[in-house]
Every structure is written in structure tokens, then in C-alpha cells.
Amino acid sequence: MKNRTSFLPQGVEAHPSRCPDNSAFKQQKLPAWKPQMTIATVLSSFFLTGAFCLSVGVCLVLSANSVREIQIDYSDKCSDCSKFRENSSNWNKECHCSVNFTLKENILGDVFMYYGLQNFYQNHRRYVISRSDAQLLGRNVNIQKSYCAPFTTYRNGTPMAPCGAIANSVFNDTIDLFYNLNSSVIQVPLLKTGNSWWTDKNVKFRNPKSYNLSSAFAGTARPPYWQKPVYLLDEENERNNGYLNDDLIVWMRVSAFATFRNLYRRVKRIRWFSDGLPAGNYTFRISYNFPVTKFKGRKHVILSTVVWSGGSNPFLGIAYVVSGTAATLTGFVIAAIHLKLRKKKTYFQK
């Protein structure tokens, strides 16, 4: 047999072949599991998936519906304070309003208080990045190089602590809850701490190192819309100040939607409230500081319980139900097509 190079014209060099070697690995001839997709395996996989998703979805929906929740919109009831806040010259003056409501049944178990905002868009790109994570970790950084602008420094060069649009727009209404028992008024004890994630409190946020917070934040100033400096956010608990303040940490976790709620307080289960909130008349006393009329927003206070699946949001359960229904219907469609084709095949064979 002649050499391959003998068939080439004179002066033309032979090039090595680019074909892979004739080995089991390079020719993809290694033994592998090749599933045989029979009608039985296909239908069983669709029906089992549908049954699983439907059962999980129904459990999640029923669990979400079992959450006890009451939501109160105080935008209109505090309209006088809202108009008062529209005037920027009143930023250092207080305005209070009250909202009465009635619980017809007891809310047993742990009760959580949320504040809800409507039509407040936190998902704008420039708003989301307007923060300095290095500053929130307590590091001495030049915030001029961050994305905090225009909330970085004042005209005299004093840096803001914390900087950025997210921190500057922090929700700062003060909400207290009172229980009207006969002729006496009892303030419901609320917990200010323990409302943030462990990773936020121990990993993402740190205070500058110093012998006290006031000296740690020396040379800085509060953001323009704040009424207190960052080291005096909680005058009752020194550990809940600075960048480790729970209200600040919860607010810094921005929402993906224009309507959202954030955890504000938890009811402390002592005395009359050891089992939760008893039925009766209640009053929210609100120190109104967060204006919403300029962007046509609304504010709510939500009292809610939680279950093993979380809060009252049924979205995950509905998603499971829809997925399970789609898988089951697909299984029936495939079964119908298979029976129809099998009948035709039997007819032609006869």
C-alpha cells in the first residue's frame, strides 16, 4: 500500500490529521447510562411531579392563610402631619397623630409589627448603589470615591455618616402601640433589637473602633434628612446605635418592588401580652417624620403572626400549585396522544 504522501504533488508538504485519536475517550465511546424514555417512565415522572407540587402548594397556601394579620393605613388619618412635613422648614419640629382600631379576636403567639410603604421605588439603579459598604463596616475610607453622591459631604467638607441615598431616606416614623383596658391605657412592650439578620449584624455592619461611639463618629455629620446623628439613634440601648442599629440595617436591605414591608418591632410577651395580643381596643400613636405625599405613596402598620412557612405571602404556594397543575395536564395530554396513535397503529396493522 502506498504512502499517503505519494499521492501529493511534488513540493507540497503533508499536514498532520486533525481527527481525534481512535480511542474510547476521544471518540466518546465510553460506557454511559442512556435512559430509555418509554411511555410509562414519561407519564409516571409527569404525574409524580404534579402530585408533589400540588401537595406542597396546597400546604403552603393553607399555611399562609392561617396567618393572623391586621393592616392599618394611616396616610389619610395623619394627613395634617403629612402637610406639616411638606414644609422643609419644619424638619426639627414634632408632629403626632393617633389611629384607633379594634381586635375582635385574640392574636396568639409571637406578634410582629411591620411598616409598609406603597409606591416607593427602591429598585432604581442609582438608588441601589448609593451606599458605601466599606463605611458601613466601620472602615476609615474616602467616601468621595464611592457611589454615595450627592449624599457624601456637606459644602464645608464634613462627611456624612452614613452616606448615600438609601441611608438618607431611612424610615423614621416612631410608632407606639397602646392597649385600652377599661379606663386605663397600657403601653404594649415592643422589642427594638433582634429584628435583623444574623449575617447583617455580625458580618456586613460594624461600628468604627473607639472607646465610645461619639468619638468614633467625630468629624462626621448626620445625613440631611435625619433628626439625630447615627450614634444617638437609640438613646435607651447603647448597643443599638451606630451602624449596628436594627432599624438602619433593616432599611439598608432594599426591596425589589414598589410596595413592600419591613420588620419594625416585636411584641414582648410579658404580663397582659404573654400569650400575644388580647382582643380589645388599641391605639397607634405615631410621631410622623416620613413624608410620602410628594411621590403619591401610602404608609401602613401591619400586625402579623408567622407560621412554619413564613408570613402571609401565598406566592410560593400558588407557584407550586400552578406548576403541579401544568405537569399533571401535560401528563394527560401525552397519555391522550399516545392512546390515539396506538389505536391508529393497531388499525393499520389489521
Side-chain angles (χ1 to χ4, degrees):
M1 185 175 181
K2 294 183 179 180
N3 192 354
R4 292 177 58 187
T5 57
S6 62
F7 295 98
L8 296 175
Q10 293 182 355
V12 179
E13 296 181 356
H15 296 282
S17 175
R18 295 184 179 180
C19 295
D21 295 338
N22 189 21
S23 64
F25 177 76
K26 293 188 176 181
Q27 293 296 337
Q28 299 184 10
K29 295 180 180 179
L30 292 174
W33 178 64
K34 298 179 181 179
Q36 300 296 326
M37 303 301 292
T38 63
I39 188 65
T41 57
V42 171
L43 290 180
S44 61
S45 62
F46 272 100
F47 286 128
L48 288 175
T49 302
F52 173 77
C53 291
L54 283 173
S55 59
V56 173
V58 170
C59 291
L60 290 174
V61 171
L62 293 176
S63 176
N65 291 335
S66 66
V67 173
R68 294 291 311 279
E69 180 176 299
I70 178 172
Q71 180 170 313
I72 298 172
D73 188 330
Y74 65 95
S75 303
D76 297 331
K77 296 180 180 179
C78 296
S79 57
D80 294 338
C81 286
S82 178
K83 295 178 181 178
F84 181 80
R85 287 296 174 209
E86 289 181 3
N87 188 349
S88 58
S89 62
N90 297 325
W91 68 270
N92 60 343
K93 300 178 182 178
E94 295 185 356
C95 186
H96 300 272
C97 58
S98 299
V99 180
N100 299 320
F101 67 98
T102 302
L103 286 181
K104 297 181 180 180
E105 297 179 357
N106 297 336
I107 300 182
L108 301 178
D110 294 328
V111 182
F112 299 83
M113 181 189 294
Y114 301 83
Y115 62 84
L117 291 177
Q118 185 176 343
N119 206 36
F120 189 93
Y121 289 86
Q122 287 188 313
N123 56 4
H124 193 280
R125 183 184 64 86
R126 291 192 63 185
Y127 182 89
V128 171
I129 64 175
S130 183
R131 58 187 293 166
S132 174
D133 291 324
Q135 184 194 43
L136 295 173
L137 279 171
R139 299 173 183 172
N140 187 12
V141 295
N142 184 9
I143 58 176
Q144 292 284 6
K145 298 180 180 179
S146 65
Y147 294 102
C148 288
F151 301 101
T152 51
T153 60
Y154 287 93
R155 293 182 180 180
N156 59 1
T158 304
M160 300 180 189
C163 69
I166 304 177
N168 182 59
S169 61
V170 67
F171 182 86
N172 56 353
D173 281 1
T174 302
I175 305 172
D176 294 317
L177 179 60
F178 293 87
Y179 176 44
N180 303 318
L181 181 62
N182 298 327
S183 59
S184 59
V185 178
I186 304 170
Q187 185 171 3
V188 180
L190 301 175
L191 297 174
K192 297 181 180 180
T193 58
N195 302 323
S196 58
W197 295 356
W198 184 92
T199 53
D200 290 340
K201 199 83 171 182
N202 296 274
V203 178
K204 297 182 179 180
F205 293 84
R206 286 282 190 276
N207 280 327
K209 294 181 179 180
S210 182
Y211 60 92
N212 59 39
L213 279 182
S214 59
S215 61
F217 289 98
T220 64
R222 57 174 177 80
Y225 292 171
W226 284 29
Q227 296 177 329
K228 299 178 181 179
V230 66
Y231 55 88
L232 291 178
L233 293 178
D234 189 352
E235 298 179 358
E236 299 177 358
N237 187 355
E238 295 181 357
R239 296 183 178 180
N240 192 33
N241 274 312
Y243 300 144
L244 293 179
N245 178 263
D246 274 50
D247 292 338
L248 175 63
I249 291 175
V250 171
W251 179 260
M252 294 299 291
R253 192 185 317 119
V254 296
S255 173
F257 302 100
T259 300
F260 61 93
R261 63 176 64 179
N262 285 335
L263 181 59
Y264 181 67
R265 296 288 184 267
R266 292 176 295 125
V267 175
K268 189 175 182 180
R269 299 177 62 175
I270 57 173
R271 298 179 185 175
W272 295 276
F273 314 102
S274 58
D275 297 326
L277 290 180
N281 298 321
Y282 289 84
T283 301
F284 280 124
R285 294 183 184 176
I286 302 164
S287 177
Y288 198 103
N289 298 308
F290 193 89
V292 294
T293 53
K294 289 186 178 180
F295 56 88
K296 299 179 180 179
R298 304 193 70 83
K299 296 192 291 186
H300 306 82
V301 183
I302 303 104
L303 294 174
S304 176
T305 60
V306 295
V307 291
W308 62 271
S309 61
S312 62
N313 189 355
F315 174 80
L316 185 60
I318 294 174
Y320 267 102
V321 171
V322 171
S323 301
T325 304
T328 305
L329 291 177
T330 303
F332 280 116
V333 170
I334 294 175
I337 294 174
H338 172 71
L339 293 175
K340 186 176 181 180
L341 294 178
R342 190 174 65 175
K343 288 182 179 180
K344 287 185 177 180
K345 184 177 180 180
T346 304
Y347 173 79
F348 284 117
Q349 285 178 350
K350 291 181 180 180

Coordinates of all heavy atoms in Angstrom, one line a residue, residues 131-212:
R131 N -24.5 53.8 48.3 CA -24.1 53.4 49.7 C -22.6 53.1 49.6 O -22.0 52.9 48.6 CB -24.9 52.2 50.1 CG -24.7 51.0 49.2 CD -25.6 49.8 49.6 NE -25.2 49.2 50.9 CZ -26.0 48.4 51.5 NH1 -27.2 48.1 51.1 NH2 -25.6 47.9 52.7
S132 N -22.0 53.0 50.8 CA -20.6 52.6 50.9 C -20.5 51.5 51.9 O -20.6 51.7 53.1 CB -19.8 53.8 51.4 OG -18.4 53.4 51.7
D133 N -20.4 50.3 51.4 CA -20.3 49.1 52.2 C -19.0 49.1 53.1 O -19.1 48.6 54.2 CB -20.3 47.8 51.4 CG -21.6 47.6 50.7 OD1 -22.6 47.9 51.3 OD2 -21.6 47.2 49.5
A134 N -17.9 49.7 52.6 CA -16.7 49.8 53.4 C -17.0 50.8 54.6 O -16.5 50.5 55.7 CB -15.6 50.4 52.6
Q135 N -17.7 51.8 54.4 CA -18.0 52.7 55.5 C -18.9 52.0 56.6 O -18.7 52.2 57.8 CB -18.7 54.0 55.0 CG -19.0 55.0 56.1 CD -19.9 56.1 55.6 OE1 -20.9 55.8 55.0 NE2 -19.6 57.4 56.0
L136 N -19.9 51.3 56.1 CA -20.8 50.6 57.0 C -20.1 49.4 57.8 O -20.6 49.0 58.8 CB -22.0 50.0 56.2 CG -22.9 51.0 55.5 CD1 -23.9 50.3 54.6 CD2 -23.6 51.9 56.6
L137 N -18.9 49.1 57.3 CA -18.1 48.1 58.0 C -17.2 48.8 59.1 O -16.4 48.1 59.7 CB -17.2 47.3 57.0 CG -18.0 46.1 56.4 CD1 -17.1 45.5 55.3 CD2 -18.3 45.0 57.4
G138 N -17.3 50.1 59.2 CA -16.5 50.8 60.2 C -15.1 51.2 59.7 O -14.3 51.6 60.6
R139 N -14.9 51.1 58.5 CA -13.5 51.4 58.0 C -13.4 52.9 57.7 O -14.4 53.6 57.3 CB -13.2 50.6 56.7 CG -13.3 49.1 56.9 CD -13.1 48.4 55.6 NE -13.2 46.9 55.7 CZ -13.3 46.1 54.7 NH1 -13.3 46.5 53.5 NH2 -13.4 44.8 54.9
N140 N -12.2 53.4 57.8 CA -11.9 54.8 57.5 C -11.6 54.9 56.0 O -10.5 54.7 55.6 CB -10.7 55.3 58.4 CG -10.5 56.8 58.2 OD1 -11.3 57.5 57.7 ND2 -9.3 57.2 58.7
V141 N -12.6 55.2 55.2 CA -12.5 55.3 53.8 C -12.8 56.7 53.3 O -13.5 57.5 54.0 CB -13.4 54.2 53.1 CG1 -13.0 52.8 53.5 CG2 -14.9 54.5 53.5
N142 N -12.4 56.9 52.1 CA -12.7 58.2 51.4 C -14.0 58.0 50.6 O -14.1 57.4 49.6 CB -11.6 58.6 50.5 CG -11.9 59.9 49.8 OD1 -12.8 60.7 50.2 ND2 -11.1 60.3 48.8
I143 N -15.1 58.5 51.2 CA -16.5 58.3 50.6 C -16.6 59.1 49.3 O -17.6 58.9 48.6 CB -17.6 58.6 51.6 CG1 -17.5 60.0 52.1 CG2 -17.5 57.6 52.7 CD1 -18.7 60.4 53.0
Q144 N -15.7 60.0 49.0 CA -15.8 60.7 47.8 C -15.6 59.8 46.6 O -16.1 60.1 45.5 CB -14.7 61.8 47.7 CG -14.9 62.9 48.7 CD -16.0 63.9 48.3 OE1 -16.7 63.7 47.3 NE2 -16.2 65.0 49.0
K145 N -14.9 58.7 46.8 CA -14.7 57.7 45.7 C -15.8 56.6 45.6 O -15.7 55.7 44.8 CB -13.3 57.0 45.9 CG -12.2 58.0 45.9 CD -10.9 57.2 46.0 CE -9.7 58.2 46.0 NZ -8.4 57.4 46.2
S146 N -16.8 56.8 46.5 CA -17.9 55.8 46.5 C -19.0 56.3 45.6 O -18.9 57.3 44.9 CB -18.4 55.6 47.9 OG -19.0 56.8 48.4
Y147 N -20.1 55.5 45.6 CA -21.3 55.9 44.8 C -22.3 56.7 45.6 O -23.5 56.7 45.2 CB -21.9 54.6 44.2 CG -21.1 53.9 43.2 CD1 -20.4 52.7 43.6 CD2 -21.0 54.3 41.9 CE1 -19.6 52.1 42.7 CE2 -20.2 53.6 41.0 CZ -19.5 52.5 41.4 OH -18.7 51.8 40.5
C148 N -21.9 57.3 46.7 CA -22.9 57.9 47.6 C -23.3 59.3 47.1 O -24.3 59.8 47.6 CB -22.2 58.1 49.0 SG -22.1 56.6 49.9
A149 N -22.7 59.9 46.1 CA -23.0 61.2 45.7 C -24.5 61.3 45.2 O -25.0 60.3 44.7 CB -22.1 61.6 44.5
P150 N -25.2 62.4 45.5 CA -24.7 63.6 46.1 C -24.7 63.6 47.7 O -24.4 64.7 48.3 CB -25.7 64.7 45.6 CG -27.0 63.9 45.5 CD -26.6 62.5 45.1
F151 N -25.0 62.5 48.3 CA -25.0 62.5 49.8 C -23.7 62.0 50.3 O -23.6 60.9 50.9 CB -26.2 61.6 50.2 CG -27.5 62.1 49.7 CD1 -28.1 61.5 48.7 CD2 -28.2 63.2 50.3 CE1 -29.4 61.9 48.2 CE2 -29.4 63.6 49.9 CZ -30.0 63.0 48.8
T152 N -22.6 62.7 50.1 CA -21.3 62.3 50.5 C -20.8 63.3 51.6 O -20.5 62.9 52.7 CB -20.3 62.3 49.4 OG1 -20.4 63.5 48.6 CG2 -20.6 61.1 48.4
T153 N -20.7 64.6 51.2 CA -20.2 65.6 52.2 C -21.0 66.8 52.1 O -21.7 67.0 51.1 CB -18.7 65.9 51.9 OG1 -18.6 66.4 50.6 CG2 -17.8 64.7 52.1
Y154 N -21.0 67.6 53.1 CA -21.6 68.9 53.1 C -20.7 69.9 52.4 O -19.5 69.6 52.0 CB -21.9 69.4 54.5 CG -23.1 68.7 55.1 CD1 -22.9 67.5 55.9 CD2 -24.4 69.1 54.9 CE1 -24.0 66.8 56.5 CE2 -25.5 68.4 55.5 CZ -25.2 67.3 56.3 OH -26.3 66.6 56.8
R155 N -21.1 71.1 52.2 CA -20.4 72.2 51.5 C -19.1 72.5 52.2 O -18.1 72.9 51.6 CB -21.2 73.4 51.3 CG -22.4 73.2 50.3 CD -23.2 74.5 50.1 NE -24.3 74.3 49.2 CZ -25.1 75.3 48.8 NH1 -25.0 76.5 49.3 NH2 -26.1 75.0 48.0
N156 N -19.1 72.4 53.5 CA -17.9 72.7 54.3 C -16.9 71.5 54.3 O -15.9 71.6 55.0 CB -18.2 73.1 55.7 CG -19.0 72.0 56.5 OD1 -19.3 71.0 55.9 ND2 -19.3 72.3 57.7
G157 N -17.2 70.4 53.6 CA -16.3 69.3 53.6 C -16.6 68.2 54.6 O -15.9 67.2 54.6
T158 N -17.6 68.4 55.5 CA -17.8 67.4 56.5 C -18.5 66.2 55.9 O -19.5 66.3 55.3 CB -18.7 68.0 57.6 OG1 -18.1 69.2 58.2 CG2 -19.0 67.0 58.7
P159 N -17.9 65.0 56.1 CA -18.5 63.8 55.5 C -19.8 63.3 56.3 O -19.9 63.6 57.5 CB -17.4 62.7 55.6 CG -16.6 63.2 56.8 CD -16.6 64.7 56.8
M160 N -20.7 62.7 55.5 CA -21.9 62.2 56.1 C -21.7 60.8 56.6 O -21.0 60.0 56.0 CB -23.1 62.3 55.1 CG -23.4 63.6 54.5 SD -24.7 63.6 53.3 CE -24.7 65.3 52.7
A161 N -22.3 60.5 57.7 CA -22.2 59.1 58.3 C -23.6 58.7 58.7 O -24.2 59.3 59.7 CB -21.3 59.1 59.4
P162 N -24.2 57.7 58.0 CA -23.7 57.0 56.8 C -24.0 57.9 55.6 O -25.0 58.7 55.6 CB -24.5 55.7 56.9 CG -25.8 56.1 57.5 CD -25.4 57.1 58.6
C163 N -23.3 57.6 54.5 CA -23.5 58.3 53.3 C -24.5 57.6 52.4 O -24.8 56.4 52.6 CB -22.2 58.6 52.6 SG -21.4 57.1 51.9
G164 N -24.9 58.2 51.3 CA -25.8 57.6 50.3 C -27.2 57.9 50.4 O -27.7 58.3 51.5
A165 N -27.9 57.7 49.3 CA -29.4 58.0 49.3 C -30.2 57.0 50.1 O -31.3 57.3 50.6 CB -29.8 58.0 47.8
I166 N -29.8 55.7 50.2 CA -30.5 54.8 50.9 C -30.6 55.1 52.4 O -31.7 55.2 53.0 CB -29.9 53.4 50.8 CG1 -29.8 53.0 49.3 CG2 -30.8 52.3 51.5 CD1 -29.1 51.6 49.1
A167 N -29.4 55.4 53.0 CA -29.4 55.8 54.4 C -30.1 57.1 54.6 O -30.8 57.3 55.7 CB -28.0 55.9 54.9
N168 N -30.0 58.1 53.7 CA -30.6 59.4 53.9 C -32.1 59.3 53.9 O -32.8 60.1 54.6 CB -30.2 60.3 52.8 CG -30.7 61.7 52.9 OD1 -30.5 62.4 53.9 ND2 -31.5 62.2 52.0
S169 N -32.7 58.3 53.2 CA -34.2 58.2 53.1 C -34.7 57.2 54.1 O -35.8 56.6 53.9 CB -34.6 57.8 51.7 OG -34.0 56.5 51.4
V170 N -34.0 56.9 55.2 CA -34.4 55.9 56.2 C -35.8 56.2 56.7 O -36.1 57.4 57.0 CB -33.4 55.7 57.3 CG1 -33.3 56.9 58.1 CG2 -33.6 54.5 58.1
F171 N -36.6 55.2 57.0 CA -37.9 55.3 57.5 C -37.7 55.7 59.0 O -37.2 55.0 59.8 CB -38.7 54.0 57.4 CG -40.1 54.1 57.9 CD1 -41.1 54.6 57.1 CD2 -40.4 53.7 59.2 CE1 -42.4 54.7 57.6 CE2 -41.7 53.8 59.7 CZ -42.7 54.3 58.9
N172 N -38.3 56.9 59.4 CA -38.0 57.4 60.7 C -39.3 57.8 61.5 O -39.2 58.6 62.4 CB -37.0 58.6 60.7 CG -37.6 59.7 59.8 OD1 -38.6 59.5 59.1 ND2 -36.9 60.8 59.8
D173 N -40.4 57.2 61.1 CA -41.6 57.4 61.9 C -41.4 56.6 63.2 O -40.9 55.5 63.2 CB -42.9 56.9 61.2 CG -43.4 57.9 60.2 OD1 -42.7 59.0 60.1 OD2 -44.4 57.6 59.5
T174 N -41.9 57.1 64.3 CA -41.9 56.4 65.6 C -43.3 55.9 65.9 O -44.2 56.7 66.0 CB -41.4 57.3 66.7 OG1 -40.0 57.7 66.4 CG2 -41.3 56.5 68.0
I175 N -43.5 54.6 66.0 CA -44.8 54.0 66.2 C -44.9 53.3 67.6 O -44.1 52.4 67.8 CB -45.1 53.0 65.1 CG1 -45.0 53.7 63.7 CG2 -46.6 52.5 65.2 CD1 -45.1 52.8 62.5
D176 N -45.8 53.7 68.4 CA -46.0 53.1 69.7 C -47.4 52.5 69.7 O -48.4 53.1 69.1 CB -45.9 54.1 70.8 CG -44.4 54.6 71.0 OD1 -43.5 53.8 70.9 OD2 -44.2 55.8 71.2
L177 N -47.6 51.4 70.4 CA -48.9 50.7 70.5 C -49.4 50.7 71.9 O -48.6 50.4 72.8 CB -48.7 49.3 70.0 CG -50.0 48.4 70.0 CD1 -51.1 49.0 69.1 CD2 -49.6 47.0 69.5
F178 N -50.7 51.1 72.1 CA -51.3 51.2 73.4 C -52.5 50.3 73.5 O -53.3 50.3 72.5 CB -51.6 52.6 73.8 CG -50.4 53.5 74.0 CD1 -49.8 54.1 72.9 CD2 -49.8 53.6 75.2 CE1 -48.7 54.9 73.0 CE2 -48.7 54.4 75.4 CZ -48.1 55.1 74.3
Y179 N -52.7 49.6 74.6 CA -53.9 48.8 74.8 C -54.8 49.5 75.8 O -54.4 49.8 76.9 CB -53.4 47.4 75.4 CG -54.5 46.5 75.7 CD1 -55.6 46.3 74.9 CD2 -54.5 45.7 76.9 CE1 -56.6 45.4 75.2 CE2 -55.5 44.8 77.3 CZ -56.5 44.7 76.4 OH -57.5 43.8 76.7
N180 N -56.1 49.7 75.3 CA -57.1 50.4 76.1 C -57.9 49.4 76.9 O -58.8 48.8 76.4 CB -58.0 51.2 75.2 CG -57.2 52.2 74.4 OD1 -56.3 52.9 74.9 ND2 -57.6 52.4 73.1
L181 N -57.5 49.2 78.2 CA -58.2 48.2 79.1 C -59.0 49.0 80.0 O -58.5 49.6 81.0 CB -57.1 47.4 79.8 CG -57.6 46.3 80.7 CD1 -58.5 45.3 80.0 CD2 -56.5 45.6 81.5
N182 N -60.4 48.9 79.8 CA -61.3 49.6 80.7 C -61.0 51.1 80.6 O -61.1 51.7 79.6 CB -61.3 49.0 82.1 CG -61.7 47.5 82.1 OD1 -62.5 47.1 81.3 ND2 -61.2 46.8 83.0
S183 N -60.7 51.7 81.7 CA -60.4 53.1 81.8 C -58.9 53.4 81.8 O -58.5 54.6 81.8 CB -61.0 53.7 83.0 OG -60.5 53.1 84.2
S184 N -58.1 52.4 81.7 CA -56.6 52.5 81.8 C -56.0 52.3 80.4 O -56.6 51.6 79.6 CB -56.0 51.6 82.8 OG -56.3 50.3 82.5
V185 N -54.9 52.9 80.2 CA -54.2 52.8 78.9 C -52.8 52.1 79.2 O -52.0 52.7 80.0 CB -54.0 54.1 78.2 CG1 -53.2 54.0 76.9 CG2 -55.3 54.8 77.9
I186 N -52.6 51.0 78.6 CA -51.3 50.2 78.8 C -50.5 50.2 77.6 O -51.0 49.9 76.5 CB -51.7 48.8 79.2 CG1 -52.6 48.8 80.4 CG2 -50.4 48.0 79.5 CD1 -53.2 47.4 80.8
Q187 N -49.3 50.6 77.7 CA -48.4 50.6 76.5 C -47.9 49.2 76.3 O -47.4 48.5 77.2 CB -47.2 51.5 76.7 CG -46.3 51.6 75.5 CD -45.2 52.7 75.6 OE1 -45.1 53.4 76.7 NE2 -44.4 52.9 74.6
V188 N -48.0 48.7 75.0 CA -47.6 47.4 74.7 C -46.1 47.4 74.6 O -45.5 48.2 73.8 CB -48.2 47.0 73.3 CG1 -47.7 45.6 72.9 CG2 -49.7 47.0 73.4
P189 N -45.4 46.5 75.3 CA -43.9 46.5 75.2 C -43.4 46.0 73.9 O -43.9 44.9 73.4 CB -43.5 45.6 76.4 CG -44.7 44.7 76.6 CD -45.9 45.5 76.3
L190 N -42.6 46.7 73.2 CA -42.1 46.3 71.9 C -40.5 46.2 71.9 O -39.8 47.0 72.6 CB -42.5 47.4 70.9 CG -44.0 47.7 70.7 CD1 -44.2 48.8 69.7 CD2 -44.7 46.4 70.2
L191 N -40.0 45.2 71.3 CA -38.6 44.9 71.2 C -38.0 45.6 70.0 O -38.5 45.4 68.8 CB -38.3 43.4 71.1 CG -38.8 42.6 72.4 CD1 -38.6 41.1 72.1 CD2 -38.0 43.0 73.6
K192 N -37.0 46.4 70.2 CA -36.3 47.1 69.1 C -35.2 46.3 68.5 O -34.7 46.6 67.4 CB -35.7 48.5 69.6 CG -36.8 49.4 70.1 CD -36.1 50.7 70.6 CE -37.1 51.7 71.1 NZ -36.5 53.0 71.5
T193 N -34.6 45.4 69.2 CA -33.5 44.6 68.7 C -33.9 43.2 68.3 O -35.0 42.7 68.7 CB -32.4 44.6 69.7 OG1 -32.9 44.0 70.9 CG2 -31.9 46.0 70.0
G194 N -33.0 42.5 67.6 CA -33.3 41.1 67.2 C -34.2 41.1 66.0 O -34.7 40.0 65.6
N195 N -34.3 42.2 65.2 CA -35.2 42.2 64.1 C -34.4 42.1 62.8 O -35.0 42.1 61.7 CB -36.0 43.5 64.1 CG -36.8 43.7 65.3 OD1 -37.4 42.7 65.8 ND2 -36.9 44.9 65.8
S196 N -33.1 42.1 62.8 CA -32.2 42.0 61.6 C -31.6 40.6 61.5 O -31.7 39.8 62.4 CB -31.1 43.0 61.7 OG -30.3 42.9 62.8
W197 N -31.1 40.3 60.3 CA -30.5 39.0 60.1 C -29.1 38.9 60.8 O -28.4 39.9 61.1 CB -30.2 38.8 58.6 CG -31.4 38.7 57.8 CD1 -32.7 38.7 58.2 CD2 -31.5 38.6 56.3 NE1 -33.6 38.6 57.2 CE2 -32.9 38.6 56.0 CE3 -30.5 38.6 55.3 CZ2 -33.3 38.5 54.7 CZ3 -31.0 38.5 54.0 CH2 -32.3 38.5 53.7
W198 N -28.8 37.7 61.2 CA -27.5 37.5 61.9 C -26.3 37.9 61.1 O -25.4 38.5 61.6 CB -27.4 36.0 62.3 CG -26.2 35.7 63.1 CD1 -26.0 35.7 64.5 CD2 -24.8 35.4 62.6 NE1 -24.7 35.4 64.9 CE2 -24.0 35.2 63.7 CE3 -24.3 35.2 61.3 CZ2 -22.6 34.9 63.6 CZ3 -23.0 34.9 61.2 CH2 -22.1 34.7 62.3
T199 N -26.4 37.6 59.8 CA -25.3 38.0 58.9 C -25.1 39.5 58.8 O -24.0 40.0 58.7 CB -25.5 37.4 57.5 OG1 -26.8 37.7 57.0 CG2 -25.4 35.9 57.5
D200 N -26.2 40.2 58.8 CA -26.1 41.7 58.8 C -25.5 42.2 60.0 O -24.6 43.1 60.0 CB -27.5 42.3 58.6 CG -28.1 42.0 57.2 OD1 -27.3 41.7 56.3 OD2 -29.3 42.1 57.1
K201 N -25.9 41.7 61.1 CA -25.4 42.2 62.4 C -24.0 41.8 62.7 O -23.3 42.6 63.4 CB -26.3 41.7 63.5 CG -26.3 42.5 64.8 CD -27.2 43.7 64.8 CE -27.3 44.3 66.2 NZ -28.2 45.5 66.2
N202 N -23.5 40.7 62.2 CA -22.2 40.2 62.6 C -21.2 40.2 61.4 O -20.0 40.0 61.7 CB -22.3 38.8 63.1 CG -23.1 38.7 64.4 OD1 -22.6 38.9 65.5 ND2 -24.4 38.4 64.3
V203 N -21.7 40.4 60.2 CA -20.7 40.4 59.0 C -20.7 41.7 58.2 O -19.7 42.2 57.9 CB -21.1 39.2 58.1 CG1 -20.2 39.1 56.9 CG2 -21.1 37.9 58.9
K204 N -21.9 42.2 57.9 CA -22.0 43.3 56.9 C -21.9 44.7 57.6 O -21.6 45.7 56.9 CB -23.3 43.2 56.1 CG -23.4 41.9 55.3 CD -24.6 41.9 54.5 CE -24.7 40.7 53.6 NZ -26.0 40.6 52.8
F205 N -22.1 44.8 58.9 CA -22.2 46.1 59.5 C -21.3 46.1 60.8 O -21.3 45.1 61.5 CB -23.6 46.5 59.9 CG -24.5 46.7 58.8 CD1 -25.2 45.7 58.1 CD2 -24.7 48.0 58.3 CE1 -26.0 45.9 57.1 CE2 -25.6 48.2 57.2 CZ -26.2 47.2 56.6
R206 N -20.5 47.1 60.9 CA -19.6 47.3 62.1 C -19.5 48.7 62.4 O -19.6 49.6 61.5 CB -18.2 46.7 61.7 CG -18.1 45.2 61.7 CD -18.0 44.6 63.1 NE -17.6 43.2 63.1 CZ -18.5 42.3 62.9 NH1 -19.8 42.5 62.7 NH2 -18.1 41.0 62.9
N207 N -19.3 49.0 63.7 CA -19.0 50.4 64.1 C -17.5 50.7 64.1 O -16.7 49.7 64.3 CB -19.6 50.6 65.5 CG -21.1 50.9 65.5 OD1 -21.6 51.5 64.5 ND2 -21.8 50.4 66.5
P208 N -17.1 51.9 63.9 CA -15.7 52.2 64.0 C -15.2 51.9 65.4 O -15.9 52.1 66.4 CB -15.6 53.7 63.6 CG -16.9 54.0 62.9 CD -17.9 53.1 63.4
K209 N -13.9 51.5 65.4 CA -13.3 51.1 66.7 C -12.9 52.4 67.5 O -12.1 53.2 67.0 CB -12.1 50.2 66.5 CG -12.5 48.8 65.9 CD -11.3 48.0 65.8 CE -11.7 46.6 65.2 NZ -10.5 45.7 65.0
S210 N -13.5 52.5 68.7 CA -13.1 53.6 69.5 C -13.7 53.3 70.9 O -14.4 52.4 71.1 CB -13.7 54.9 69.0 OG -13.3 56.0 69.8
Y211 N -13.2 54.1 71.9 CA -13.7 53.9 73.3 C -15.1 54.2 73.5 O -15.8 53.8 74.4 CB -12.8 54.6 74.3 CG -12.8 56.1 74.2 CD1 -13.6 56.9 74.9 CD2 -11.8 56.7 73.3 CE1 -13.6 58.2 74.8 CE2 -11.8 58.1 73.2 CZ -12.7 58.9 73.9 OH -12.7 60.2 73.8
N212 N -15.7 55.1 72.6 CA -17.2 55.4 72.7 C -17.6 55.8 71.3 O -16.8 56.2 70.4 CB -17.6 56.4 73.7 CG -16.9 57.7 73.5 OD1 -16.7 58.2 72.4 ND2 -16.5 58.4 74.6

